[in-house]
């Protein structure tokens, strides 16, 4: 009878493991992965609180990336040296540790308890290991309903930790790839802007303005990241315009202006080579349509109103504002407040009024100190 009960328990634990693995791998947003890992472990082992420590990219420090429990918000982002505290020791040794009475243990670093006000009694710390490399450690604090954790809790934690470590590894890799992709796009935009001394930094500024507008419009975080990339690449088609036209200090002839207008179509064409196509659709559309205007007077397709994609309408406003406020060979840049007035004047004819309102609100709120606005909001957009 006891054997059957044991077997049932094991099956239940296996099911929990499978469920954990499924949830962890279905989602690659790194903060959510951290939270999921921790929540699964805390729930399944029956702990009062838990802390997920991850080794820094340079491998010198460990950092709390997720915390669960009463004082969780005070613990997140605490940093220790890589071999400090029990979390650090477990990361260094790669071996799990069960401590029945934490307060009497010599390796206990009081720093965490002191800053959180949480009283730790009993603790399991397991390493998160993938292919022999320890990525971090997970601490489970205070067994619910019993006084102390036992060896069975450690076994379950170790089994769960191997699943969690894989999810952690995957999401870290994914994050690095995203970083690499974004830095390549940024570099490409910089190379492009560098062709014309008057447009240095243009793409980056337009990308910033665009996400500020999107923030005011309440756009979701992942959409804002897409918009940022699309805005960085909006003028990529200028790569195909000869220098003598692109950098011409005088007025353009009709033919030259027609050649400049082609940068929208050329840009969309260049970007359509990037994979995966599904992920690039908004970026391609933005390159093609950012010179379309609400009243149909824009190019290349003469689209009107909502026929123009939201991204293109936003980038269109941001792009025009930057063009007005930066110096050109033939004109000095306009003051920000004058350019804002100009956008307002063209509401509903050239520009989407909700987008102009969002941007002029941002400008007024920042008191036209855009560098400060950027510094204050960088973290919010996590770009
Ligand atoms: Fe453009």
């Amino acid at each position: 009878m006891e054997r059957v009960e044991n077997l049932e328990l094991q099956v239940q634990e296996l099911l929990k493991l499978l469920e954990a693995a499924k949830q962890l791998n279905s989602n690659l947003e790194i903060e959510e992965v951290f939270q999921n890992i921790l929540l699964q472990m805390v729930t399944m082992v029956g702990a009062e609180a838990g802390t997920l420590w991850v080794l820094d990219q340079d491998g010198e420090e460990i950092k709390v990336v997720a915390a669960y429990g009463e004082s969780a918000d005070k613990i997140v982002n605490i940093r220790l040296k890589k071999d400090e505290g029990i979390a650090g020791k477990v990361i260094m040794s790669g071996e799990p540790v069960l401590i029945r009475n934490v307060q009497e243990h010599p390796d206990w670093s009081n720093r965490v308890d002191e800053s959180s006000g949480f009283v730790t009694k009993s603790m399991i710390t397991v390493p998160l290991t993938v292919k022999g490399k320890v990525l971090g450690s997970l601490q489970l604090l205070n067994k619910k309903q019993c006084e102390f954790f036992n060896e069975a809790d450690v076994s379950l934690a170790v089994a769960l930790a191997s699943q969690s470590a894989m999810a952690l590894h995957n999401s870290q890799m994914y994050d690095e790839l995203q970083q690499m992709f974004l830095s390549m796009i940024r570099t490409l935009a910089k190379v492009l802007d560098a062709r014309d001394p008057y447009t240095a930094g243009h793409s980056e500024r337009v990308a910033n303005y665009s996400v500020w507008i999107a923030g005011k419009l309440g756009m979701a975080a992942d959409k804002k990241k897409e918009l940022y990339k699309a805005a960085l690449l909006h003028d990529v088609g200028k790569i195909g315009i000869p220098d003598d036209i692109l950098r011409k200090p005088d007025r353009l002839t009709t033919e030259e202006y027609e050649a400049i207008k082609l940068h929208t179509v050329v840009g969309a064409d260049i970007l359509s080579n990037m994979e995966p196509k599904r992920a690039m659709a908004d970026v391609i559309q933005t390159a093609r349509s950012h010179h379309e205007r609400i009243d149909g007077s824009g190019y290349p397709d003469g689209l009107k109103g909502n026929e123009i994609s939201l991204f293109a309408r936003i980038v269109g406003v941001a792009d025009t504002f930057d063009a007005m406020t930066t110096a050109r060979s033939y004109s000095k840049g306009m003051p920000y407040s004058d350019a804002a007035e100009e956008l307002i004047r063209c509401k509903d004819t050239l520009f989407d009024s909700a987008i102009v309102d969002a941007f002029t609100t941002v400008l007024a709120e920042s008191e036209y100190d855009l560098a400060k606005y950027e510094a204050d909001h960088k973290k919010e957009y996590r770009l």
Side-chain angles (χ1 to χ4, degrees), residues 74-228:
K74 294 180 187 139
I75 302 171
V76 173
N77 289 329
I78 284 183
R79 284 172 176 275
L80 295 176
K81 288 201 193 80
K82 64 177 175 185
D83 52 357
E84 209 175 341
I86 296 164
K89 295 269 189 308
V90 167
I91 290 174
M92 291 300 106
S93 71
E95 295 297 328
V97 168
L98 165 66
I99 300 170
R100 279 174 61 86
N101 191 343
V102 167
Q103 300 298 331
E104 288 173 6
H105 196 276
D107 283 343
W108 175 243
S109 168
N110 260 328
R111 284 170 55 178
V112 178
D113 262 13
E114 274 165 15
S115 54
S116 68
F118 184 84
V119 180
T120 310
K121 291 181 285 189
S122 181
M123 181 168 74
I124 293 174
T125 310
V126 289
L128 296 165
T129 312
V130 174
K131 295 173 198 155
K133 206 178 146 209
V134 187
L135 307 176
S137 66
L138 214 142
Q139 284 184 317
L140 298 162
L141 311 174
N142 296 353
K143 176 86 173 167
K144 269 187 185 163
Q145 286 143 3
C146 311
E147 202 177 356
F148 298 122
F149 289 116
N150 59 30
E151 289 295 339
D153 296 321
V154 177
S155 304
L156 179 58
V158 167
L160 282 167
S162 67
Q163 292 285 352
S164 300
M166 192 44 94
L168 179 65
H169 174 71
N170 287 346
S171 59
Q172 280 181 336
M173 296 266 290
Y174 177 80
D175 227 44
E176 278 177 22
L177 280 175
Q178 286 292 315
Q179 267 180 26
M180 195 191 288
F181 182 55
L182 188 60
S183 65
M184 283 179 74
I185 289 179
R186 270 205 174 114
T187 308
L188 185 61
K190 272 208 175 102
V191 168
L192 192 75
D193 292 345
R195 277 183 68 204
D196 178 353
Y198 287 104
T199 59
H202 169 70
S203 301
E204 191 89 39
R205 284 192 301 274
V206 170
N208 283 335
Y209 300 159
S210 298
V211 285
W212 298 350
I213 293 169
K216 271 282 167 273
L217 294 174
M219 190 181 281
D222 54 342
K223 269 274 170 205
K224 274 193 292 202
K225 285 186 191 173
E226 286 308 305
L227 172 63
Y228 186 78

Side-chain angles (χ1 to χ4, degrees), residues 296-359:
S297 63
Y299 59 86
D301 300 307
L303 301 178
K304 279 185 183 167
N306 287 349
E307 289 172 358
I308 311 162
S309 74
L310 177 63
F311 279 15
R313 277 179 278 146
I314 293 175
V315 172
V317 169
D319 184 27
T320 308
F321 181 80
D322 191 61
M324 287 192 286
T325 53
T326 47
R328 299 288 146 117
S329 55
Y330 47 85
S331 68
K332 247 175 55 188
M334 209 185 254
Y336 292 145
S337 52
D338 291 4
E341 285 303 317
E342 191 58 23
L343 290 178
I344 291 167
R345 205 179 60 78
C346 301
K347 269 199 325 194
D348 289 325
T349 48
L350 302 185
F351 307 117
D352 183 320
S353 62
I355 291 171
V356 172
D357 289 345
F359 194 31

Side-chain angles (χ1 to χ4, degrees), residues 234-235 238 263-264 290-291 319:
H234 75 281
D235 266 347
K238 286 196 172 162
H263 80 278
T264 50
H290 69 277
H291 286 282
D319 184 27

